[in-house]
Amino acid sequence: MPAMAENVLQMLMGMVDSYLVASLGLVAISGVSVAGNIIAIYQAIFIALGAAISSVLARSMGAGDQKSQANHATGALTMTLLMSLILGLISLCFGQEILSLLGTEKLVAEAGGIFLAIVGGTIVFLGLMTSLGALVRTTGNPRLPMYVSLLTNVLNAFFSSFFIFILDWGIVGVALGTVLARLVGVVVLWKSLTISFAKPSWSLDRELLRLSLPAAGERLMMRAGDVVIIALVVRFGTQAVAGNAIGEVLTQFNYMPAFGIATATVLLVARSLGQGNREEISQIARKSYWLTLGFMLPLALLIYAFGTPLTQLYTQDKEAVAASLLVILFSLLGTPFTIGTVIYTAVWQGLGNGKLPFYATTIGMWGIRIGTGYLLGVTLGLGLPGIWAGTLLDNAFRWLFLGLLYKKRIGA
């Protein structure tokens, strides 16, 4: 429950940013939306690293190995800082060029480039919040990261509103509000750590690297594919981009139970594996799926029922509203598939096998989602419905792929 609430609060920050940016016009919300998809790639990489941190640390705790715990904690911070440096430099040096390559209009690319340079250039704060949160959560304090997320949301809303409506700093103000709020979150989490650290070294944690690289690769394939999907949506016009962005912001809340329970699933599976209790893992997987469905389906139905008034909080443009409602509908239809994909990915990561989710996502995203989306949406002219039909097929494939292989392993 704390992990679920934390995910909801993290997404609420993006929702608040989108709402504030919406006051600046469709060009601004489109630019920040496209930039947000690049930042989502970064966030996905750090989430994957956080899952790997939780897995290796929970396994060490299950085995009672304190020296290994200290080594993993130090390795986690080292890898976080290294990734942040690389991603931050990419954002600062090539941000606007990346958005232009996606086919966005000049004004949209300029608006998004500003946001990406500021938020992406200081991505170290998001990275540290994710990794420190994983350390704090795994070592027995799952509620604190939730409280920190609540704090950063309140600060983000305050800072961003002040910079936009009082100082009139526009997109720069929204970006600075996000950065400052995350900085405060990093400080609070750092001061709350109770785990011991090993002496820093230039070598990377091999066990953490072995699990985090496939997990990061899986997230990278997913988010990079999302950027390609956005490039396809751009073909349908600014209204379609804005409506698609608003729909995705609203439906993010559908997925929060899945991501929260997946976090717990990784921890529980890894701890059971460390204790040698393999029979419990199947029960964890089964309960995780049905528990997620019980939380996620009512949320999806609620957002679908109130889709129009929720979308109109962002824009009154009829084409953008229609595009947003389409996204909400497809999100509802794909609920069972999405849950299966997320939960079985978490199970395999908890088992220490990040390669299978990587293979499933690479094939599903690049072979099915993008291929089907291009065929239906662009070639056959179905537009946005064709793009989202590809998304449903992708999630269905990955659920079957990961679920059947897991059942085969258990049967063996």
Side-chain angles (χ1 to χ4, degrees), residues 322-341:
S324 175
L325 294 177
L326 181 73
V327 172
I328 293 172
L329 173 61
F330 272 92
S331 175
L332 171 62
L333 295 175
T335 297
F337 310 141
T338 303
I339 295 171
T341 298

Side-chain angles (χ1 to χ4, degrees), residues 26-109:
L26 281 180
V27 170
I29 195 172
S30 297
V32 171
S33 167
V34 179
N37 278 275
I38 303 297
I39 294 172
I41 295 176
Y42 303 167
Q43 185 176 22
I45 292 173
F46 289 124
I47 289 173
L49 177 59
I53 292 168
S54 297
S55 181
V56 297
L57 198 59
R59 228 176 301 159
S60 297
M61 292 175 65
D65 189 344
Q66 293 187 352
K67 181 179 179 181
S68 178
Q69 293 175 42
N71 288 331
H72 290 322
T74 300
L77 293 186
T78 301
M79 290 188 64
T80 301
L81 293 174
L82 180 60
M83 287 184 178
S84 299
L85 176 63
I86 296 171
L87 298 176
L89 288 175
I90 290 174
S91 300
L92 287 171
C93 299
F94 307 107
Q96 187 170 329
E97 288 76 7
I98 293 173
L99 301 186
S100 296
L101 287 174
L102 295 176
T104 55
E105 299 173 3
K106 183 179 179 181
L107 291 177
V108 173

Side-chain angles (χ1 to χ4, degrees), residues 180-199:
L180 290 175
R182 285 174 176 164
L183 174 59
V184 174
V186 169
V187 172
V188 174
L189 287 170
W190 176 258
K191 289 183 175 295
S192 304
L193 285 174
T194 57
I195 191 171
S196 299
F197 289 89
K199 184 179 179 180

Side-chain angles (χ1 to χ4, degrees), residues 26-333:
L26 281 180
V27 170
I29 195 172
S30 297
V32 171
S33 167
V34 179
N37 278 275
I38 303 297
I39 294 172
I41 295 176
Y42 303 167
Q43 185 176 22
I45 292 173
F46 289 124
I47 289 173
L49 177 59
I53 292 168
S54 297
S55 181
V56 297
L57 198 59
R59 228 176 301 159
S60 297
M61 292 175 65
D65 189 344
Q66 293 187 352
K67 181 179 179 181
S68 178
Q69 293 175 42
N71 288 331
H72 290 322
T74 300
L77 293 186
T78 301
M79 290 188 64
T80 301
L81 293 174
L82 180 60
M83 287 184 178
S84 299
L85 176 63
I86 296 171
L87 298 176
L89 288 175
I90 290 174
S91 300
L92 287 171
C93 299
F94 307 107
Q96 187 170 329
E97 288 76 7
I98 293 173
L99 301 186
S100 296
L101 287 174
L102 295 176
T104 55
E105 299 173 3
K106 183 179 179 181
L107 291 177
V108 173
E110 290 176 353
I114 294 171
F115 188 84
L116 183 57
I118 298 173
V119 178
T122 57
I123 203 68
V124 64
F125 298 136
L126 175 60
L128 287 173
M129 273 195 68
T130 306
S131 295
L132 293 176
L135 291 175
V136 170
R137 185 185 305 109
T138 309
T139 52
N141 193 347
R143 295 182 181 179
L144 182 62
M146 175 187 67
Y147 297 142
V148 171
S149 290
L150 177 60
L151 174 64
T152 54
N153 269 272
V154 173
L155 291 177
N156 174 60
F158 173 77
F159 289 146
S160 297
S161 298
F162 177 77
F163 291 145
I164 287 181
F165 300 118
I166 305 299
L167 299 184
D168 197 24
W169 285 2
I171 291 176
V172 173
V174 175
L176 287 177
T178 300
V179 171
L180 290 175
R182 285 174 176 164
L183 174 59
V184 174
V186 169
V187 172
V188 174
L189 287 170
W190 176 258
K191 289 183 175 295
S192 304
L193 285 174
T194 57
I195 191 171
S196 299
F197 289 89
K199 184 179 179 180
S201 67
W202 292 104
S203 61
L204 295 176
D205 186 328
R206 291 186 179 181
E207 187 178 356
L208 183 58
L209 198 62
R210 180 183 62 81
L211 184 56
S212 63
L213 281 181
E218 187 266 335
R219 290 291 87 195
L220 182 60
M221 287 295 101
M222 185 68 188
R223 292 307 177 187
D226 284 340
V227 173
V228 175
I229 292 295
I230 288 297
L232 296 180
V233 174
V234 165
R235 294 168 177 256
F236 310 137
T238 300
Q239 284 83 0
V241 174
N244 187 76
I246 293 168
E248 289 190 327
V249 167
L250 294 174
T251 56
Q252 284 179 33
F253 287 97
N254 295 1
Y255 309 129
M256 289 308 97
F259 295 145
I261 294 173
T263 299
T265 301
V266 171
L267 289 172
L268 293 172
V269 169
R271 190 166 296 176
S272 296
L273 185 65
Q275 295 171 343
N277 191 354
R278 295 178 178 270
E279 294 181 359
E280 189 177 41
I281 295 175
S282 293
Q283 297 179 10
I284 293 170
R286 184 172 58 255
K287 290 178 180 178
S288 294
Y289 181 89
W290 291 110
L291 183 63
T292 306
L293 184 64
F295 277 109
M296 189 171 166
L297 186 58
L299 267 177
L301 288 168
L302 188 64
I303 292 175
Y304 176 74
F306 293 96
T308 299
L310 288 173
T311 300
Q312 289 175 344
L313 292 174
Y314 294 86
T315 181
Q316 297 294 321
D317 185 277
K318 292 183 178 179
E319 291 185 27
V321 170
S324 175
L325 294 177
L326 181 73
V327 172
I328 293 172
L329 173 61
F330 272 92
S331 175
L332 171 62
L333 295 175

